[in-house]
Amino acid sequence: MTAVTVRVPAKVNLQLAVGPAREDGYHDLVNVFHAVSLFDEVTVIAAQPCAERGLVRLTAEGETHGNTAGVPLDATNLAARAVHRLAAETDAGAPVDIQLTKRIPVAGGMAGGSADAAGALVACATLWGAELGHDRLLALAADLGSDVAFPLVGGTAVGTGRGELLTPVPSTGRYHWVFALSGTGLSTGAVFGEYDRLRPDAPEPREDTALMSALASGNARALGAALRNDLEPAALSLRPELRSTLDAGRDADALGVIVSGSGPTCAFLAEDRAAAAHIAAALRESGHCERALVAHGDVPGATVVCQE
Ligand SMILES: C[C@](O)(CO)[C@H](O)COP(=O)(O)OP(=O)(O)OC[C@H]1O[C@@H](n2ccc(N)nc2=O)[C@H](O)[C@@H]1O
Ligand SMILES: Nc1ncnc2c1ncn2[C@@H]1O[C@H](COP(=O)(O)OP(=O)(O)OP(=O)(O)O)[C@@H](O)[C@H]1O
């Protein structure tokens, strides 16, 4: 085998309940992840070992213009960090070229970098024939970042701890989404910092039973009413113009309107595919977003789509 390509999904958070800051600077969460059909692709290609190059060389391209701005191409890229960690963990590492095809917005609150890290783990484990159990892979992913384990499993799942301890949620519905993208990202750490400033008395996070029953019944209207994101006031405080984006989706009769994770992407739940197209058109026309993309969820996690 000389090359492996893995397709890996973005996430939206259906519930993001955030507790007080912990001593290690992180926050305990009840984080209901939902994988949606915006995918990055991670291809790893076996490279000839030679003195001048290290373990990883990386390139990134965006299918949509401008979608690789802000993606580091050095060892700080989360996909490159994932490959180094996997090599250290398994002793199976050999030089690779990584090609990222970015469709998930960068620094958009949809876990694009985390998705790439998860994709790189699966692609390199496959290329190297590394016999790593599922639990070890999940632990390695969790160590790389709070959002990295989820794109390995996909679907819908509750994340506790700092978001990395996953319990799958059986989900019966197919949900139609619109994502309004901003031209400039928001730093996840800065949004949590603003949350601490706004909510010094944050309570311990709790799972929302209304959301869980909506997911169990597959009722999009009930799900729309139950969407909650504790980070939304912090994202709006740092980026007040997002209020107009959320209002534009509300005016177009979205069933639910929410900032995705740490933002600035805004997510709109639609009744069906036609309603999603209508909301996307209204958002584009409003001028209150850079782009509006239609997607559905949930979808599976990291999947090998090609091996040569
Ligand atoms: C906002 C979410 O996207 C929701 O899914 C995640 O909680 C963020 O996950 P992530 O980007 O993988 O975050 P990490 O790389 O682990 O942490 C980035 C920064 O976010 C903050 N952070 C993250 C997760 C968490 N439970 N508490 C935090 O306070 C910390 O300041 C941390 O330094
Ligand atoms: N593979 C990658 N793709 C995009 N950004 C990356 C990648 N690796 C590292 N980064 C860095 O991480 C930062 C956050 O990028 P990312 O797209 O993961 O944000 P995000 O979707 O808001 O993350 P999350 O939702 O997990 O908090 C970027 O600004 C960039 O500097």
Side-chain angles (χ1 to χ4, degrees), residues 144-184:
L144 285 160
S146 313
D147 276 351
V148 181
F150 175 69
L152 287 175
V153 298
T156 301
V158 182
T160 54
R162 61 183 165 83
E164 84 286 15
L165 306 170
L166 297 174
T167 308
V169 177
S171 163
T172 54
R174 180 182 175 93
Y175 301 103
H176 296 272
W177 294 93
V178 180
F179 296 101
L181 276 45
S182 290
T184 36

Side-chain angles (χ1 to χ4, degrees), residues 172-258:
T172 54
R174 180 182 175 93
Y175 301 103
H176 296 272
W177 294 93
V178 180
F179 296 101
L181 276 45
S182 290
T184 36
L186 271 174
S187 144
T188 304
V191 175
F192 274 104
E194 182 66 357
Y195 174 81
D196 291 336
R197 195 182 69 78
L198 296 173
R199 293 287 302 274
D201 54 345
E204 290 305 320
R206 291 240 188 115
E207 190 170 288
D208 179 19
T209 48
L211 179 78
M212 289 302 155
S213 2
L215 285 170
S217 66
N219 182 327
R221 194 163 286 276
L223 179 64
L227 298 174
R228 295 276 178 283
N229 179 0
D230 282 355
L231 290 184
E232 185 167 302
L236 292 175
S237 167
L238 296 177
R239 197 62 70 76
E241 61 269 32
L242 293 179
R243 284 181 201 285
S244 309
T245 316
L246 295 173
D247 286 345
R250 259 185 218 109
D251 291 347
D253 294 330
L255 300 179
V257 169
I258 199 164

